[in-house]
Amino acid sequence: QVQLVESGGGLVQAGDSLRLSCVASGLTFSSYVMGWFRQAPGKEREFVASIHWAGGTTYYSDSLKGRFTISRDNAKNTVYLQMNSLKPEDTAVYYCAGNYRGVGEYERWGQGTQVTVSS
């Protein structure tokens, strides 16, 4: 059974940092492009960042580049999202997702972790 389990969300103040983690099981993690997405209340889900299965190539939403960093540890089947200088507009449910070999759409999704940033 494939599972992606996010953790690390919470309530923080503007300017704080958080690191989200997503542990994958039931799949060959090292064959997946992993991504982070987020969905704020009343808004559509949006792309945050992604990382190649070998970890060498990363992509970011232009609006988040410089504050957020995605990384992965294939030995731990884990992908991370380091979020710095958080703003109230970063408040959302954050989801990790997996895309086998980077082909097509992301087909594996976690349940999400809530991040709330107070002003």
Side-chain angles (χ1 to χ4, degrees):
Q1 180 182 1
V2 175
Q3 279 193 310
L4 300 180
V5 180
E6 302 96 334
S7 63
L11 173 62
V12 297
Q13 293 187 331
D16 286 351
S17 298
L18 273 178
R19 188 176 82 155
L20 305 183
S21 300
C22 171
V23 179
S25 60
L27 52 75
T28 306
F29 184 74
S30 58
S31 295
Y32 279 76
V33 170
M34 298 301 297
W36 285 97
F37 294 76
R38 69 183 186 182
Q39 187 166 20
K43 295 187 177 181
E44 294 189 354
R45 186 169 58 196
E46 65 171 340
F47 170 79
V48 174
S50 66
I51 185 166
H52 190 271
W53 54 81
T57 302
T58 57
Y59 295 97
Y60 296 91
S61 167
D62 285 343
S63 64
L64 300 174
K65 199 177 298 184
R67 292 195 298 124
F68 289 15
T69 304
I70 189 171
S71 62
R72 67 189 294 160
D73 184 340
N74 286 349
K76 296 182 178 180
N77 282 10
T78 302
V79 60
Y80 305 97
L81 183 69
Q82 177 68 42
M83 306 185 294
N84 298 330
S85 302
L86 283 163
K87 304 175 181 180
E89 51 263 43
D90 294 320
T91 295
V93 178
Y94 284 72
Y95 300 90
C96 75
N99 177 218
Y100 183 70
R101 290 296 185 184
V103 176
E105 302 294 323
Y106 284 84
E107 63 268 19
R108 306 295 185 183
W109 291 86
Q111 293 301 306
T113 185
Q114 176 71 47
V115 172
T116 303
V117 184
S118 64
S119 57

